[in-house]
Amino acid sequence: MKRSPLQPKPMKRHCIRLADIAAIDNLTLAVWKAARSKRHRPDVIRFTTQLDQHLQQLAQDIVQAKVPYARYREFYIHDPKERLIHAACFEDRVLHHAIMNLAEPVFERALVPTTYACRPDKGVHRAVAQVQANLRRYPWYVKTDISGYFPSIDHRILHDLLQRRFKGADFLFLLWRIIDSYHAKPDKGLPIGSLTSQHFANYYLDGTDRFLLEHLKVQAQVRYMDDTLFWCNSRAEANEKLAALREYLHVERQLHIKPNSQINRSSAGVSYCGYRILPGAILLSRRKRQRYQQLRRQWEQAWLDGQITELVLQQAYQSVHAITLHADSQAWRKQNLQLYPSPAI
């Protein structure tokens, strides 16, 4: 019998044992990753001050199915839109890293090459470079993203997808407890700010990538988390395939594409991952330009107020300049300096 294009291909499942997650060398590596750039925080200091004792307790709780502890700290960030972050307690962050030390290679093998979030040797800048290459090659693009993506991820669909990739009742039950520890609404949502959430959310749309590439036969596709671009021969074809994608996401993932999906000629360029990408140039987005100007003014005002030294200001300029890297920004930076000259040092 011929397999339906929406039916997942049979795959070899990977077994991860709780004992391997709880191994002290794995947990020690997880502590180092979880504490990176956060060693001054009280919860990190508390955990690492009595490291052996806390590692033994965490290892025991993993094996005895007493984790996650599911203690979250809530706060808002603006990037630029407001987002509610749920930061897991340090013990759970160590647990997440311990799991991903073993599970990340499995996710990596599962994903198609054209998805760029949460992956080694991928990231924003490689996604942007691939988008530009596709703009040069294919005539029409469709740009979509998901309405309220993280809060809309269905727990049971996600766990079913994970069961197709992993085996072992104890490990799958641990994954379920992590998923079920947070609800944006009944049986839905992943907490923004958790390592496992990033990988789960990225994997949740792997079937969408394959639907576009293998079933709809789009000319090319790039995805960064839930922001997807794909290319077609004509506007009519783009509309047809966008409609099919909407239906797939609604039926298979209980997700909805935002109504402002963009269909345009590749020659017009596209805004993506913080850049304005044209076939012949990569420019800073308005948001990045505003961020550059905001940080410049903050550091310069701090120097004028005597809060920082000239050396610190020079170092700050380097970090601010980093915002403009990977873009053709020299002309804009010169214009910005002419309009807003730096104070004389």
Side-chain angles (χ1 to χ4, degrees), residues 74-94:
E74 297 184 7
F75 58 94
Y76 286 93
I77 63 170
H78 301 267
D79 68 337
K81 64 182 179 182
E82 187 177 76
R83 295 181 188 271
L84 177 60
I85 303 299
H86 288 81
C89 63
F90 186 70
E91 291 85 351
D92 278 355
R93 297 205 303 274
V94 173

Side-chain angles (χ1 to χ4, degrees), residues 9 20 22 35 43 45 113 118 121 190 244 250-251 263 293-294 320:
K9 294 180 181 179
D20 294 330
D43 55 346
I45 295 172
C118 308
D121 300 319
L190 294 178
H250 174 66
V251 173
I263 298 176
Q293 184 62 25
Q294 177 189 21
V320 173

Side-chain angles (χ1 to χ4, degrees), residues 173-217:
F173 185 41
L174 171 60
L175 296 184
W176 173 253
R177 295 197 305 275
I178 291 173
I179 294 167
D180 195 45
S181 69
Y182 172 84
H183 293 255
K185 44 193 169 184
D187 300 321
K188 291 186 183 291
L190 294 178
I192 298 175
S194 290
L195 178 67
T196 48
S197 295
Q198 296 174 31
H199 287 276
F200 292 167
N202 202 30
Y203 183 62
Y204 195 74
L205 290 180
D206 175 64
T208 306
D209 299 335
R210 297 179 187 279
F211 179 72
L212 284 167
L213 293 167
E214 299 172 10
H215 180 60
L216 294 185
K217 304 291 185 183

Side-chain angles (χ1 to χ4, degrees), residues 283-310:
L283 307 176
L284 296 173
S285 67
R286 181 174 64 178
R287 184 174 70 185
K288 279 188 178 289
R289 294 197 303 269
Q290 290 173 342
R291 182 62 174 160
Y292 174 91
Q293 184 62 25
Q294 177 189 21
L295 289 174
R296 260 197 64 197
R297 288 178 174 177
Q298 286 179 356
W299 285 109
E300 289 170 357
Q301 190 60 50
W303 178 75
L304 291 171
D305 293 342
Q307 298 174 3
I308 60 174
T309 65
E310 295 176 1

Side-chain angles (χ1 to χ4, degrees), residues 27-80:
L27 290 179
T28 301
L29 175 61
V31 169
W32 178 80
K33 290 182 176 180
R36 194 160 38 192
S37 302
K38 302 178 179 69
R39 296 184 183 278
H40 64 284
R41 294 186 179 180
D43 55 346
V44 180
I45 295 172
R46 177 187 58 80
F47 190 95
T48 54
T49 299
Q50 296 180 303
L51 182 61
D52 291 342
Q53 177 183 336
H54 285 119
L55 286 181
Q56 292 292 343
Q57 184 64 56
L58 181 56
Q60 179 179 316
D61 288 350
I62 290 171
V63 173
Q64 295 180 355
K66 295 181 179 179
V67 292
Y69 303 113
R71 300 192 298 268
Y72 293 101
R73 178 171 60 91
E74 297 184 7
F75 58 94
Y76 286 93
I77 63 170
H78 301 267
D79 68 337

